[in-house]
Amino acid sequence: MNNVINVIDREGEKHILEWEPDQSLMESLRDNDLPVMASCGGTASCATCHIFLDRDVVVSLGERSEDELELLVETECYDESSSRLSCQVRHDPSLNGLNVVLAPEE
Amino acid sequence: MSDKSVVIVGAGHAGVQAAGRLRELGWHGGVIIIDQESHAPYERPPLSKDLLKPDAQDDSALLRKASYFQDKDITLKPATSVLQIDRQKRMVALSDGSGLPYHRLVLATGSSARKLTIPGSELAGVQVLKTKTDALTLKSGLIAGSKVVILGAGYIGLEVAAAAAARGCNVTVLEFQDRVMNRVTSSVVSHYFQKLHESHGIRFAFGSAASHIEGDGRAERVFTTDGAMFEADVVLVGIGVVPHQGLAENAGLECNDGILVDENGLTSDPYVYAAGDVTRSICPFEGTSRRLECIQNALSQADQVASHILGLEPKKPEVPWFWTIQHGLRLQTAGIQQPEDEVLLRGNPADGRFSVLYLRSGRLAAIDTVGGLADFLPGKKLIAAGVELDRTLAADPGAGLAQSARPVAA
Ligand SMILES: Cc1cc2nc3c(=O)[nH]c(=O)nc-3n(C[C@H](O)[C@H](O)[C@H](O)COP(=O)(O)OP(=O)(O)OC[C@H]3O[C@@H](n4cnc5c(N)ncnc54)[C@H](O)[C@@H]3O)c2cc1C
Ligand code: FES
């Protein structure tokens, strides 16, 4: 089943997207025309897929990898409780209705 | 399909990004991508990394999901080559015998692996790694116990060496220079990675040039100019790439080891753009002309091209960057180091994580981060800002790298 997610882009505009089960969250954003550069193809190397999620969702997703954290912490608008690299967020039915905010470009 | 088609040659990172950006930015005309390969457009970095892992599936990540192109009204013509450009008529000739008119043409033909030309190069078992087909062929030869000889200790050669060792092969790397990744990094980093590879059983022969390959229908032995011989079941040639510029050259576009483009990706013909590995342009951070072989460059030039076609402001240029992963260890580089740069070590290699800063006239020109990413983004920003660094602060891993910028004198 596809998840339906709500995305706020960098201009504050809202988009409603389908997130397919075999996609990472980054892939769903990128393949739906959101300006996510994803230069590293989803390998936690570039931080261009930085997003904010609700704090309780971040908690439910569990630990971030060391690479992810090291990259995120150095972004300008890092927020400990809501920052994630969207390429590291895997599809899960429980994330239906997810709210996603694109972080400003570095 | 509407007229006003943008025809893109090449469905690699640059071509697909250009097509996607055209749609994102609101291009209403046709978008057509032609590619000679028959696989759906895919990511190249995993071909020498994840795809070769022992437990990997025979599939590498796609650049876009399969239905993307149709959803976005992008026509994708796989298994078709562009043979010729007629700039007068603004048409390209395709291998299926048809001709295609263009409103704008984007050449994103990438590069091809440099071929080995010594005797025996044509033997079965001697191969390069550029396409998914190459990767699958290579993978089928990486059987435990088989002898793998790799020519060239660059990124590709070393990534394959690591993958082959993990699959239980006997791996030897022959390198003409005296250290690994000589072209792209300093000796500190080279030696660190050499030791890492050696600790996984990989052998190196430096100062060693292959002279010929022998075998009965298949490669069995590689000989070097200094008389050494290495037995081989598989020979992987990783000696660099050459820009795929024949199409452009034959059409009279200005080329010089790469199609020459300006900051908008425009060639010497105002109707023809180029992006990615195939181009040469003036690097805004150094003022020199260069060809870059990395995803970052392919994507950002594709963005510039799409913006320019739509008459929009181009994005700010991004500092070029690259990554490689060998035996699970990550080397990530931003900027481009020169042999003359002052080398400053930040952190201790013995800890398995450190950075190397490359200073030019006191300013940060490039950075390598090994085993950690904390310095990567700050390093990239300092390079873009072109500020001088305080050497003592910069060498202290206890202080954030961003803090080492010297205040700009008023
Ligand atoms: C194994 C491997 C690992 C890599 N790892 C990394 C990495 O970790 N990080 C990194 O930054 N970069 C890496 N690179 C380099 C990176 O893949 C290239 O810089 C990037 O692919 C360049 O994109 P491009 O679109 O210019 O060319 P390509 O992706 O090479 O695409 C060009 C396409 O054009 C097609 N084509 C060419 N001529 C014609 C024609 N006449 N008609 C039709 N089609 C044509 C080709 O078949 C090809 O599909 C790696 C490359 C390889 C091969
Ligand atoms: S896509 Fe590069 S870090 Fe997520």
Side-chain angles (χ1 to χ4, degrees), chain B residues 34-175:
Chain B
I34 319 283
D35 197 285
Q36 62 197 14
E37 291 186 42
S38 47
H39 294 288
Y42 56 88
E43 294 270 356
R44 277 179 214 271
L47 300 182
S48 50
K49 303 179 181 76
D50 291 353
L51 188 92
L52 299 179
K53 281 188 179 159
D55 50 354
Q57 299 188 339
D58 270 3
D59 220 351
S60 65
L62 297 178
L63 284 172
R64 297 288 186 276
K65 69 175 176 181
S67 61
Y68 175 83
F69 299 94
Q70 210 178 357
D71 292 351
K72 300 295 163 200
D73 195 16
I74 295 168
T75 307
L76 183 63
K77 269 175 99 71
T80 312
S81 307
V82 174
L83 302 178
Q84 220 178 355
I85 307 168
D86 184 336
R87 289 166 52 201
Q88 237 73 56
K89 292 199 184 117
R90 279 186 235 151
M91 297 262 295
V92 289
L94 307 185
S95 55
D96 62 9
S98 65
L100 196 61
Y102 60 82
H103 173 68
R104 294 288 184 274
L105 180 66
V106 181
L107 300 173
T109 49
S111 52
S112 22
R114 181 173 285 128
K115 295 262 163 38
L116 196 63
T117 52
I118 60 173
S121 307
E122 70 295 338
L123 286 168
V126 180
Q127 76 155 104
V128 297
L129 175 50
K130 185 72 196 178
T131 63
K132 191 167 183 171
T133 308
D134 294 337
L136 295 175
T137 310
L138 174 64
K139 187 176 178 177
S140 67
L142 300 183
I143 301 158
S146 64
K147 297 182 268 305
V148 178
V149 174
I150 294 171
L151 309 184
Y155 292 126
I156 302 263
L158 294 177
E159 288 180 3
V160 172
R167 288 172 153 258
C169 304
N170 277 308
V171 185
T172 309
V173 181
L174 310 185
E175 167 58 54

Side-chain angles (χ1 to χ4, degrees), chain A residues 2-7 14-20 25-34 96-98 100 102:
Chain A
N2 292 351
N3 285 342
V4 176
I5 59 174
N6 309 302
V7 185
K14 187 170 163 172
H15 306 254
I16 297 174
L17 312 181
E18 300 226 344
W19 177 9
E20 298 170 21
L25 180 54
M26 175 280 279
E27 288 170 324
S28 149
L29 299 172
R30 181 192 64 189
D31 294 0
N32 282 294
D33 280 356
L34 282 150
N96 193 23
L98 185 71
V100 180
L102 298 194

Side-chain angles (χ1 to χ4, degrees), chain B residues 107-366:
Chain B
L107 300 173
T109 49
S111 52
S112 22
R114 181 173 285 128
K115 295 262 163 38
L116 196 63
T117 52
I118 60 173
S121 307
E122 70 295 338
L123 286 168
V126 180
Q127 76 155 104
V128 297
L129 175 50
K130 185 72 196 178
T131 63
K132 191 167 183 171
T133 308
D134 294 337
L136 295 175
T137 310
L138 174 64
K139 187 176 178 177
S140 67
L142 300 183
I143 301 158
S146 64
K147 297 182 268 305
V148 178
V149 174
I150 294 171
L151 309 184
Y155 292 126
I156 302 263
L158 294 177
E159 288 180 3
V160 172
R167 288 172 153 258
C169 304
N170 277 308
V171 185
T172 309
V173 181
L174 310 185
E175 167 58 54
F176 183 69
Q177 301 287 344
D178 62 355
R179 58 184 174 89
V180 308
M181 297 186 280
N182 167 83
R183 198 172 59 86
V184 293
T185 192
S186 56
S187 55
V188 198
V189 177
S190 291
H191 290 134
Y192 190 82
F193 273 85
Q194 180 187 334
K195 286 221 183 73
L196 175 72
H197 283 280
E198 286 170 344
S199 74
H200 285 84
I202 292 163
R203 288 172 305 274
F204 289 93
F206 292 106
S208 187
S211 58
H212 60 291
I213 303 172
E214 283 180 358
D216 189 8
R218 258 198 91 80
E220 292 168 22
R221 292 170 296 279
V222 180
F223 294 85
T224 59
T225 47
D226 52 11
M229 188 272 279
F230 301 88
E231 286 186 40
D233 301 304
V234 174
V235 180
L236 191 275
V237 181
I239 54 172
V241 299
V242 288
H244 221 144
Q245 66 184 36
L247 256 188
E249 252 179 336
N250 293 337
L253 294 169
E254 275 179 45
C255 296
N256 176 14
D257 181 34
I259 305 174
L260 304 186
V261 296
D262 68 8
E263 69 282 6
N264 298 309
L266 204 54
T267 68
S268 52
D269 177 331
Y271 294 95
V272 184
Y273 294 81
D277 277 18
V278 74
T279 65
R280 172 178 286 273
S281 61
I282 304 286
C283 167
F285 300 99
E286 301 181 9
T288 50
S289 140
R290 32 173 94 259
R291 209 156 55 66
L292 292 168
E293 298 150 13
C294 62
I295 306 290
Q296 174 280 321
N297 177 61
L299 299 185
S300 78
Q301 281 187 325
D303 275 7
Q304 286 156 352
V305 166
S307 299
H308 198 255
I309 290 176
L310 280 145
L312 302 170
E313 268 303 293
K315 280 199 188 171
K316 269 203 320 236
E318 199 194 346
V319 172
W321 70 274
F322 196 95
W323 80 101
T324 175
I325 296 177
Q326 300 165 23
H327 306 288
L329 188 75
R330 184 194 283 267
L331 164 62
Q332 204 152 307
T333 297
I336 294 164
Q337 65 117 25
Q338 305 280 354
E340 316 74 69
D341 291 342
E342 177 188 340
V343 173
L344 192 69
L345 190 62
R346 177 176 160 83
N348 185 357
D351 302 337
R353 56 179 289 147
F354 61 102
S355 300
V356 181
L357 311 179
Y358 301 93
L359 304 183
R360 212 169 297 156
S361 318
R363 295 165 208 278
L364 190 65

